[in-house]
Amino acid sequence: MNIFSRRSLIIASSAIAMALTSTAPSFAQEKKTLAFVVNVPADFWTIARAGTNKAQAELPNYNIEFYIPGEMSAAAQKKILEDLLARGVAGVAISPVNPDDSTAILNEVASKAVLITHDADAPNSNRLMYVGTDNVAAGRQAGELMKKALPDGGKAMLFVGTMDAANARERSQGIKEAIAGTKIEIIDIRTDGGDQAKAKANVEDTLTKYPDIDLLVGLWAYNTPQIYNAVKALGKAGSVKIVGFDEDQQTLKGVAEGVIDGTVVQQPFEFGYQSMINMAKLIEGDKSVIPANKLQIVPTQIVDKSNVKEFGDNLKKVLGK
């Protein structure tokens, strides 16, 4: 092979290599990842996952991942966020367990990816927006149910995972606003740290310590089923009133039976769906999805015996059952 042939071969090879390099990204470009991070293991999030699944079908250029921490703690969420940052995640939607203790890691995420909150807010962080319930207003709805259950007043106990979470504080605030001026007395708020066995034990202890208790209120999705189970097991169904939150199947069963007076239901499907759709738009430069007050409020409703069947049937359709 003469020198001209070799030179031609080298030039041709270089041209082919450049052509392959320039076209490769269009065929092998990695999809961006969007993460949905929850606060505690609970059936409530099954509905939110259905929402993220719908978003995934509409966002083929993204990978949507769903994260449930092994325990309810800011530390467990921080580990998830650190792992996501190390992988170069494009967007995170999170329900922070303890927003005050998580501000630093949330701001780190916000500096490198699109960050929004759902279910519980972290307004002191650099999150772009919140998607979820107006929890003070939802607390007021629960307070109205309490007044209906105890028109002449009585003693009540509240149950929740942790009072560090914004939604827990806001719901209890709304309840207190609604029952102000009535003869309903809130004895205390019992927390369980996300441990459902402890949640049930808290109810059992309350029924033992306060045999004349009139009303038990569950502020988180798993609390109301645990109240329902404990009350039935101790033969107190009907004599102790129950008000709850969310649409756990046992909660809806208790409402249908008349054991639970009513429950304030959210729309976790929309938490999952809207969070993902909004993040994709923000990544693509569309900031019009951010409300002026940075709050996208998803309405709540009261479910009682009058509408529980209809609500349950609609929920099955949402879950594809």
Side-chain angles (χ1 to χ4, degrees):
M1 183 181 293
N2 60 38
I3 187 169
F4 297 105
S5 297
R6 292 187 182 189
R7 184 176 298 168
S8 298
L9 180 59
I10 292 170
I11 292 172
S13 299
S14 298
I16 293 170
M18 289 177 65
L20 289 172
T21 301
S22 64
T23 58
S26 65
F27 292 106
Q29 186 175 10
E30 291 187 5
K31 294 181 179 181
K32 293 179 179 179
T33 296
L34 306 177
F36 189 86
V37 183
V38 309
N39 54 3
V40 63
D43 289 343
F44 175 81
W45 296 115
T46 302
I47 307 171
R49 190 188 288 269
T52 62
N53 289 344
K54 180 184 178 184
Q56 179 67 87
E58 297 178 14
L59 298 171
N61 295 325
Y62 293 86
N63 285 323
I64 293 177
E65 299 177 353
F66 201 100
Y67 289 88
I68 303 174
E71 61 179 18
M72 188 191 71
S73 71
Q77 287 189 321
K78 182 180 180 182
K79 178 65 170 61
I80 291 172
L81 294 176
E82 288 172 340
D83 291 344
L84 289 170
L85 287 176
R87 291 174 46 214
V89 68
V92 175
I94 185 170
S95 174
V97 170
N98 188 328
D100 296 332
D101 286 353
S102 302
T103 301
I105 184 63
L106 291 175
N107 287 347
E108 185 178 352
V109 173
S111 71
K112 299 174 182 178
V114 168
L115 174 69
I116 68 175
T117 53
H118 66 85
D119 181 54
D121 199 8
N124 294 326
S125 72
N126 295 332
R127 59 94 171 106
L128 293 177
M129 62 184 294
Y130 164 74
V131 177
T133 296
D134 178 337
N135 283 292
V136 175
R140 294 192 195 106
Q141 286 180 307
E144 293 301 321
L145 282 171
M146 292 168 66
K147 290 193 290 186
K148 188 175 179 180
L150 298 178
D152 299 321
K155 296 179 180 179
M157 182 74 79
L158 275 53
F159 301 87
V160 73
T162 174
M163 288 301 290
D164 290 332
N167 58 4
R169 294 195 299 267
E170 291 165 0
R171 290 175 193 179
S172 62
Q173 175 189 334
I175 285 172
K176 290 172 183 177
E177 290 177 4
I179 66 172
T182 71
K183 293 182 179 180
I184 298 175
E185 174 193 358
I186 297 176
I187 297 173
D188 199 359
I189 302 175
R190 297 290 173 86
T191 60
D192 51 63
D195 183 335
Q196 296 195 35
K198 185 176 179 182
K200 185 179 180 183
N202 280 345
V203 181
E204 293 168 340
D205 291 345
T206 296
L207 291 171
T208 300
K209 186 175 181 180
Y210 303 98
D212 60 342
I213 194 83
D214 300 294
L215 173 65
L216 306 176
V217 183
L219 297 186
W220 279 6
Y222 64 82
N223 288 117
T224 311
Q226 297 303 335
I227 294 171
Y228 168 80
N229 290 333
V231 166
K232 290 202 73 173
L234 293 173
K236 297 274 190 176
S239 61
V240 177
K241 300 288 186 177
I242 302 173
V243 167
F245 268 83
D246 301 315
E247 51 272 68
D248 186 278
Q249 288 301 313
Q250 280 192 301
T251 297
L252 297 180
K253 179 183 177 184
V255 172
E257 293 172 348
V259 176
I260 298 174
D261 290 71
T263 183
V264 179
V265 298
Q266 305 178 83
Q267 297 187 62
F269 180 93
E270 294 299 328
F271 296 1
Y273 177 73
Q274 297 294 342
S275 294
M276 299 300 106
I277 295 297
N278 288 342
M279 284 199 295
K281 288 182 177 180
L282 288 166
I283 288 168
E284 292 158 14
D286 181 3
K287 294 184 179 180
S288 67
V289 298
I290 303 177
N293 63 359
K294 298 185 178 181
L295 305 174
Q296 181 177 334
I297 300 302
V298 180
T300 56
Q301 73 174 99
I302 290 175
V303 173
D304 57 22
K305 201 166 185 179
S306 69
N307 62 351
V308 65
K309 184 181 185 306
E310 178 185 4
F311 179 84
D313 291 341
N314 289 336
L315 180 59
K316 288 178 181 178
K317 291 177 183 177
V318 167
L319 295 174
K321 295 183 179 179

